[in-house]
């Protein structure tokens, strides 16, 4: 039996949930999981539904049939096959903890994605990537060649059909043009609990301020550095006795976990951009289960 997901965004009004439920029931579909949010400030309505097509209707037929409902409520909607794996390009520099964590989760099926390429401006992780049978692309980035380098990066994204770019501690600022072209499709991990301590050396800033909590933030990339809509965050406690180097070491685990959780939410279509913020629905039952233990 095929499992699909329906995502909906529109202005809030009476009758939306009833119309969606009636359509699915009429078309032989059984809802297995549902989440919704009505934003009182913006007047926006968001919904994600997992369902099974018990009478064999495919995505195309369901989408075509739903068009009238969508038009009636002014919806942005999409029907998705939950068995399809999103194609992802990972970009990394010299810190490899997030990359290695993602490769492990991908390998055991805990992160059901298709990694179509890894791009780096250094060679440190070429061997580990190639040993996973994933194409590795070294693209050096300097002030002088930045435009050409980004053109090569985007060519890889387009040639592979990648739907998402993950910046796994990629320590280069992307151009405004690239951010706009891939809007809502680039996820970054920042080694700070944003909006505090933006920029390249947040652990040093945190140490100088004597904070008692450090954290990590995964967000969508926009043209404004470290200002994109936040998807996931977490923290770890520190004390006066720890050094900036301790902060870096303690932060690695938090960064890896936060990034993987953000990607998990995005690929399962649980994240909706809502102005400068996001709506992130809980994971569906079973979506964290991995294919094997190690």
């Amino acid at each position: 039996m095929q499992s699909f997901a329906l995502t909906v965004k529109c202005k809030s009004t009476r009758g939306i949930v009833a119309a969606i439920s009636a359509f699915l029931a009429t078309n032989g579909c059984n809802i297995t999981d549902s989440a919704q949010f009505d934003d009182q400030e913006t007047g926006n309505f968001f919904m994600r539904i997992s369902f099974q097509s018990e009478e064999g209707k495919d995505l195309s037929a369901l989408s075509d049939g739903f068009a009238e409902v969508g038009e009636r409520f002014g919806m942005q909607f999409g029907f998705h096959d939950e068995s399809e794996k999103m194609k992802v390009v990972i970009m990394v520099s010299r810190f490899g903890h997030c990359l290695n964590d993602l490769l492990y989760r991908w390998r055991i099926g805990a992160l059901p994605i298709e990694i179509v390429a890894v791009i780096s401006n250094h060679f440190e992780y070429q061997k580990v990537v190639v040993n996973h049978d994933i194409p590795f692309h070294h693209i050096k980035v300097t002030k002088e060649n930045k435009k050409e380098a980004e053109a090569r990066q985007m060519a890889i994204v387009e040639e592979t059909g990648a739907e998402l770019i993950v910046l796994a501690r990629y320590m280069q600022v992307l151009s405004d043009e690239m951010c706009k072209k891939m809007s809502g499709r680039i996820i970054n991990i920042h080694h700070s609990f944003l909006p505090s301590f933006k920029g390249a050396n947040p652990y040093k800033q945190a140490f100088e301020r004597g904070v008692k909590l450090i954290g990590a933030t995964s967000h969508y990339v926009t043209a404004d550095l470290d200002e994109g809509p936040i998807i996931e965050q977490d923290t770890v406690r520190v004390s006066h006795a720890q050094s900036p180097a301790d902060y870096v070491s303690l932060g690695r685990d938090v960064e890896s976990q936060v990034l993987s959780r953000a990607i998990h939410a995005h690929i399962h279509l649980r994240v909706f951009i809502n102005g400068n913020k996001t709506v992130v629905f809980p994971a569906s039952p079973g979506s964290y289960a991995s294919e094997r233990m190690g």
Side-chain angles (χ1 to χ4, degrees):
M1 197 177 300
Q2 290 180 295
S3 293
F4 299 133
L6 168 62
T7 55
V8 170
K9 177 182 177 180
C10 62
K11 285 297 179 182
S12 178
T13 189
R14 191 169 57 238
I16 298 172
V17 176
I20 293 172
S21 302
F23 172 84
L24 292 174
T26 300
N27 284 271
C29 300
N30 181 43
I31 295 173
T32 57
D33 185 57
S34 179
Q36 68 187 68
F37 175 64
D38 200 329
D39 189 338
Q40 298 295 315
E41 291 187 0
T42 65
N44 291 328
F45 174 84
F46 305 87
M47 192 170 195
R48 185 196 182 282
I49 295 177
S50 290
F51 64 93
Q52 292 182 330
S53 179
E54 296 182 339
E55 295 180 4
K57 284 204 174 182
D58 61 19
L59 281 181
S60 178
L62 289 168
S63 185
D64 290 345
F66 192 75
E68 184 276 326
V69 177
E71 185 177 353
R72 191 194 328 157
F73 290 97
M75 294 176 179
Q76 299 174 35
F77 71 89
F79 284 84
H80 315 270
D81 186 340
E82 292 195 310
S83 67
E84 289 186 1
K85 294 181 179 180
M86 189 174 290
K87 293 182 177 181
V88 176
V89 166
I90 299 175
M91 297 174 66
V92 64
S93 291
R94 282 190 159 138
F95 293 95
H97 50 286
C98 288
L99 171 66
N100 281 298
D101 180 77
L102 294 177
L103 290 174
Y104 175 74
R105 294 175 192 271
W106 162 77
R107 190 170 67 245
I108 67 169
L111 201 57
I113 57 178
E114 182 182 349
I115 303 175
V116 293
V118 172
I119 300 172
S120 181
N121 52 334
H122 299 283
F123 280 107
E124 272 85 341
Y125 302 103
Q126 180 180 30
K127 185 175 181 180
V128 68
V129 171
V130 172
N131 284 347
H132 281 82
D133 295 322
I134 297 170
F136 177 88
H137 303 270
H138 173 254
I139 300 177
K140 186 177 180 179
V141 182
T142 64
K143 290 182 179 179
E144 293 73 26
N145 82 333
K146 188 176 182 67
K147 188 171 183 179
E148 176 192 347
E150 283 198 352
R152 290 175 61 194
Q153 293 165 356
M154 284 306 304
I156 293 168
V157 171
E158 291 164 4
E159 288 166 7
T160 58
E163 303 159 85
L164 176 67
I165 296 175
V166 173
L167 306 184
R169 291 300 301 271
Y170 180 69
M171 307 305 287
Q172 292 287 330
V173 177
L174 303 184
S175 69
D176 291 0
E177 181 182 358
M178 188 170 180
C179 292
K180 290 173 183 175
K181 189 170 186 177
M182 294 294 293
S183 178
R185 294 187 292 158
I186 307 177
I187 292 177
N188 182 46
I189 182 66
H190 182 67
H191 41 308
S192 173
F193 197 78
L194 292 175
S196 299
F197 310 129
K198 302 172 187 176
N201 202 342
Y203 287 134
K204 184 173 183 293
Q205 296 176 56
F207 175 78
E208 290 171 348
R209 290 295 301 274
V211 302
K212 305 309 178 199
L213 288 171
I214 58 171
T217 303
S218 191
H219 63 94
Y220 289 114
V221 174
T222 63
D224 296 320
L225 182 65
D226 298 331
E227 292 278 2
I230 292 170
I231 307 169
E232 180 63 61
Q233 294 182 290
D234 208 346
T235 59
V236 62
R237 185 165 289 280
V238 292
S239 78
H240 63 276
Q242 287 158 333
S243 68
D246 290 329
Y247 284 25
V248 172
S249 297
L250 290 166
R252 288 184 189 131
D253 287 343
V254 184
E255 293 166 32
S256 299
Q257 292 174 39
V258 167
L259 181 58
S260 69
R261 292 203 297 263
I263 296 169
H264 189 277
H266 179 90
I267 65 174
H268 285 96
L269 311 168
R270 296 192 283 112
V271 187
F272 295 77
I273 294 177
N274 185 24
N276 294 323
K277 301 187 291 184
T278 59
V279 172
V280 184
F281 287 130
S284 298
S287 64
Y288 277 112
S290 58
E291 296 168 0
R292 54 197 180 95
M293 293 301 294

